[in-house]
Amino acid sequence: MTDREPRGWDRQPGRGGGGQGRSGPGGWAQPPPAARGGAGRVLGWSCLGVFAVLGVLAVAALVGLFVVADKDGGAEDGPRGDVRLTACVVDATTKWPHADVLVTNRSAKASDYGVHVEFLDPAGKRLSDAYGATDNLAPGQRATVRVQSLHQVAAGTRCRIVDVSRHMSWRPSG
């Protein structure tokens, strides 16, 4: 048998053995996957690889969701993680809103903090905003800062920390 002669599985059924070395009338057909040396196994490994990649992407997406959720509600790195909203109140007499924030210096140096707070209606529309600050907070030290707006708002106003800045305190020598 030469390289150009068809083997048993190479013949197309009912076509005869023209021996022309190609598919078509009188030619050869492709062998079934099992006869070609395991193409079925390659397909199996390909599917397994695709499922593995999809699994890794799904896990990465879930981890990404938890990281985003943690940034919105849990402790964060940097100055934003040093500040926590402890109260949001509208004064009954003046109708002025204020937010109390707890600042904890988690850095290694004495720091000054600036906190920007927005006051929102129940639908999330910004009604007012205000800034508060604390200076020369030692590492590990805590301070409560009241952030007060002078614009009148209705009861049910919510507070949201917008931005936090932390800068190393300047202490004069001497």
Side-chain angles (χ1 to χ4, degrees):
M1 192 189 262
T2 66
D3 288 6
R4 302 203 85 225
E5 288 183 25
R7 292 178 211 97
W9 48 261
D10 287 328
R11 292 189 177 270
Q12 290 182 342
R15 297 284 182 146
Q20 298 171 4
R22 61 178 194 267
S23 61
W28 306 306
Q30 289 290 321
R36 285 198 302 256
R41 286 189 308 245
V42 171
L43 181 60
W45 283 108
S46 296
C47 288
L48 182 62
V50 167
F51 285 120
V53 169
L54 290 175
V56 168
L57 290 175
V59 169
L62 287 174
V63 169
L65 287 176
F66 287 119
V67 168
V68 169
D70 184 46
K71 285 193 175 189
D72 290 338
E76 289 185 43
D77 290 334
R80 178 69 187 226
D82 292 358
V83 178
R84 184 172 53 97
L85 186 65
T86 59
C88 183
V89 178
V90 176
D91 184 270
T93 305
T94 63
K95 307 287 188 221
W96 292 345
H98 73 264
D100 289 334
V101 294
L102 178 63
V103 180
T104 305
N105 184 356
R106 299 182 305 161
S107 74
K109 305 268 185 185
S111 300
D112 301 334
Y113 285 84
V115 182
H116 178 200
V117 174
E118 281 185 337
F119 301 98
L120 311 166
D121 70 6
K125 178 183 172 196
R126 183 182 159 282
L127 301 172
S128 181
D129 67 339
Y131 295 87
T134 186
D135 296 326
N136 205 21
L137 204 59
Q141 186 178 8
R142 294 180 174 195
T144 298
V145 176
R146 176 154 292 177
V147 182
Q148 177 78 53
S149 172
L150 301 178
H151 292 99
Q152 291 186 337
V153 297
T157 297
R158 297 181 302 127
C159 301
R160 177 176 65 191
I161 297 172
V162 177
D163 192 28
V164 177
S165 63
R166 176 180 65 201
H167 303 282
M168 187 175 73
S169 292
W170 179 78
R171 293 184 186 200
S173 57

